Amino acid sequence: MDLTDFGPGAQYIAGRQTRGSGEAFQVVNPADGSVVEQVALATAEDVDAAVAAARAALPGWSSATPGARSEALTRLAAVLAGAADDLARVETSQTGKPVKLVTEFDVPGTVDNAAFFAGAARNLEGKAAGEYSGDHTSYVRREAVGVVGSISPWNYPLQMAAWKILPAIAAGNTIVLKPAELTPLTSLMFARACTAAGIPDGVVNVVTGAGRTAGEHLVGHPDVAMVSFTGSTGVGRRVAEIATASVKRTHLELGGKAPFVVFDDADLDAAVHGAVAASLINGGQDCTAATRAYVQRPLYDAFVAGVAELFAAIRIGDPLNPRTDLGPLVSYAHRDRVAGFVERARSYATVVTGGRVPEKGHDGSDLTRGAYYPPTLITGAAQDSEVVQGEIFGPVLVVLPFDGDDEGLRLANDTPYGLAASAWTSNVHRSLRATREIAAGCVWVNDHIPIISEMPHGGYKASGYGKDMSQYSLDEYTQVKHVMFDTTAVARKDWHRTVFGDR
């Protein structure tokens, strides 16, 4: 099966790719403004069809043995690995990601996710059966929740499709995924790969549509039992509001504003290089990207100088060039949004480097047609300023000094978000304190960004709740049922006297 044959449209329902019933929409390459595909968006009727397909497939898929689901996911991992080049090319064209990021991170990470959940499907954990009351044998069943409605973001289209789909179907659910309309193509390829792997029609469905039409209809659909959403905190609140009205289970992975805390005993060279990589990955369009660097005062000046030097050397240009470090942002509108944060910051902070839309790439290419924005370093901002508190979601790093450890950790926690953070120190006691006291779902020590399939990903506070990846994600996608058997064969139980009669 050619995964890149998008056929008549951008909907994948019951094992077939179909045209949406809504208006035409252009998927644009942000590197040069060219049209990658023109798609017809989904309407509420298309969502209804996808949910119906998922509901029809649910009895067969949920009753399949864990071994059968595992074998299907193993085949899926092989299909995805075989299509790696096509997945990388399409992902780069719709997002502007540098091809080296896609080929070394996005695609292999997705293949690894599929391989991990192939194993996890056979390991749905529960309490051991036993006579916990003395007169009964109890055990726990894990059962599928039902039809899952998932909404994924534009920053990691392929990986987020995997993060949503894989744990849901590994646990026996069926799913309707709504990817961002800006970047739907690799999600459609993923769904086609599921069919190629022998996963039954209707288990995985994709509807490409706008959030206020297709998205809200999916979240509120009466046949959807659970909603999983990754995106901004503001939209997450709306998703929760709609889902709560029909008492759906919800899983929300929302915004972030990750602190990068550098203590005065840190390896300065490691911290500088780590900050550059962690703030610029995916053009900074990553909810776990380092955005606020707090540096203890003895290292502050050297840290700022080191980051500025490396930022200035970043190679911006054509994302298909394997030497390119930083491609365009996802769209012109988003580039302008990021630039707006920086322009407003000029009135209260110092833009050390960057902050101007580039015209030429590292290879001399013309960047004026693309949505490019350079690595930008800001200092002198107050803790309560917009660039420190707001989610910029671009290649912008703000650096602030601190004195004592108490202050550094307090500042790290001083935002509404709590998705990810890092602490940089050579002192084990400092690192243990930082990992204990920083309120975030993931805290790295002397690194920032690595994510692995075996470990959970999810936030605290306004960054949402619930976990992606790992065995823990299966808790989100399963119902826990207690089953209890009487072991006494006694007709009149002693506890009956609390309702009628005497001992």
Side-chain angles (χ1 to χ4, degrees):
M1 177 184 285
D2 179 6
L3 302 188
T4 64
D5 181 9
F6 297 108
Q11 320 305 322
Y12 197 82
I13 300 171
R16 297 189 309 278
Q17 201 145 319
T18 62
R19 184 180 297 279
S21 306
E23 62 186 16
F25 184 85
Q26 291 181 336
V27 178
V28 173
N29 184 336
D32 58 13
S34 61
V35 176
V36 181
E37 289 284 340
Q38 180 161 300
V39 301
L41 296 179
T43 62
E45 290 73 22
D46 298 309
V47 172
D48 289 342
V51 172
R55 187 179 182 188
L58 181 63
W61 184 249
S62 64
S63 62
T65 64
R69 293 198 293 266
S70 174
E71 289 172 2
L73 291 175
T74 298
R75 295 192 299 269
L76 174 60
V79 172
L80 293 169
D85 289 345
D86 286 339
L87 287 166
R89 176 177 53 79
V90 174
E91 190 79 331
T92 295
S93 71
Q94 68 176 353
T95 64
K97 293 171 181 277
V99 70
K100 66 177 180 178
L101 175 67
V102 178
T103 56
E104 296 180 29
F105 184 75
D106 296 56
V107 173
T110 300
V111 174
D112 185 69
N113 272 196
F116 170 80
F117 280 106
R122 304 183 77 146
N123 188 32
L124 294 176
E125 295 179 344
K127 204 173 185 72
E131 288 70 50
Y132 296 98
S133 79
D135 293 336
H136 305 83
T137 295
S138 289
Y139 67 85
V140 169
R141 290 176 56 88
R142 281 192 180 270
E143 298 177 347
V145 176
V147 176
V148 177
S150 288
I151 299 175
S152 57
W154 49 257
N155 58 332
Y156 287 99
L158 176 62
Q159 284 200 307
M160 293 296 101
W163 285 22
K164 297 301 183 191
I165 292 169
L166 291 169
I169 67 174
N173 303 282
T174 57
I175 189 168
V176 178
L177 174 75
K178 192 203 85 66
E181 62 270 30
L182 289 176
T183 56
L185 302 180
T186 47
S187 297
L188 292 164
M189 293 173 71
F190 192 99
R192 290 173 66 85
C194 290
T195 299
I199 294 172
D201 293 348
V203 172
V204 176
N205 307 274
V206 175
V207 290
T208 301
R212 291 199 175 275
T213 51
E216 292 197 1
H217 190 66
L218 177 62
V219 171
H221 200 289
D223 291 334
V224 169
M226 173 187 168
V227 172
S228 178
F229 171 79
T230 295
S232 72
T233 297
V235 177
R237 291 191 184 99
R238 176 62 178 158
V239 168
E241 177 186 356
I242 297 171
T244 300
S246 51
V247 200
K248 290 177 177 27
R249 180 180 294 198
T250 55
H251 164 215
L252 303 176
E253 198 264 90
L254 307 177
K257 190 70 179 174
F260 187 101
V261 184
V262 182
F263 294 97
D264 58 10
D265 62 347
D267 180 326
L268 178 62
D269 190 52
V272 166
H273 283 79
V276 171
S279 61
L280 299 185
I281 187 170
N282 202 36
Q285 300 166 126
D286 186 312
C287 48
T288 62
T291 60
R292 299 177 289 138
Y294 296 101
V295 184
Q296 203 153 16
R297 208 169 292 275
L299 297 184
Y300 176 80
D301 289 340
F303 179 89
V304 170
V307 170
E309 182 179 358
L310 287 181
F311 268 17
I314 292 295
R315 296 168 297 190
I316 308 173
D318 179 3
L320 290 174
N321 185 330
R323 298 188 69 247
T324 293
D325 300 320
L326 186 68
L329 301 186
V330 73
S331 69
Y332 305 105
H334 185 62
R335 188 268 313 277
D336 293 345
R337 177 184 176 277
V338 170
F341 274 93
V342 176
E343 290 309 305
R344 291 188 296 273
R346 293 183 191 278
S347 66
Y348 58 80
T350 300
V351 178
V352 177
T353 187
R356 302 292 183 194
V357 174
E359 296 182 356
K360 292 290 183 182
H362 66 92
D363 55 359
S365 57
D366 179 12
L367 303 185
T368 57
R369 293 186 301 154
Y372 291 90
Y373 199 76
T376 299
L377 179 62
I378 296 175
T379 61
Q383 175 66 14
D384 63 355
S385 63
E386 181 188 44
V387 289
V388 174
Q389 296 293 326
E391 190 175 25
I392 301 172
F393 224 59
V396 180
L397 178 65
V398 184
V399 186
L400 300 91
F402 71 92
D403 293 304
D405 290 16
D406 290 350
E407 181 189 13
L409 296 175
R410 177 181 61 79
L411 293 171
N413 284 329
D414 184 28
T415 70
Y417 301 106
L419 186 59
S422 63
W424 297 75
T425 176
S426 59
N427 184 300
V428 66
H429 302 292
R430 265 179 164 166
S431 66
L432 287 170
R433 181 186 177 191
T435 57
R436 182 176 66 249
E437 295 187 12
I438 293 176
C442 177
V443 181
W444 294 281
V445 177
N446 296 330
D447 207 346
H448 192 117
I449 281 297
I451 290 174
I452 52 175
S453 297
E454 291 83 358
M455 288 290 113
H457 177 83
Y460 287 20
K461 304 190 294 186
S463 291
Y465 48 81
K467 299 299 178 185
D468 288 308
M469 297 198 299
S470 83
Q471 201 75 30
Y472 292 97
S473 68
L474 297 177
D475 293 341
E476 311 297 330
Y477 293 97
T478 52
Q479 302 267 27
V480 174
K481 178 186 287 184
H482 171 214
V483 178
M484 178 179 272
F485 289 86
D486 170 65
T487 60
T488 66
V490 173
R492 293 193 61 181
K493 306 290 194 294
D494 185 57
W495 72 267
H496 291 179
R497 67 185 172 80
T498 64
V499 180
F500 68 97
D502 301 313
R503 186 184 294 274

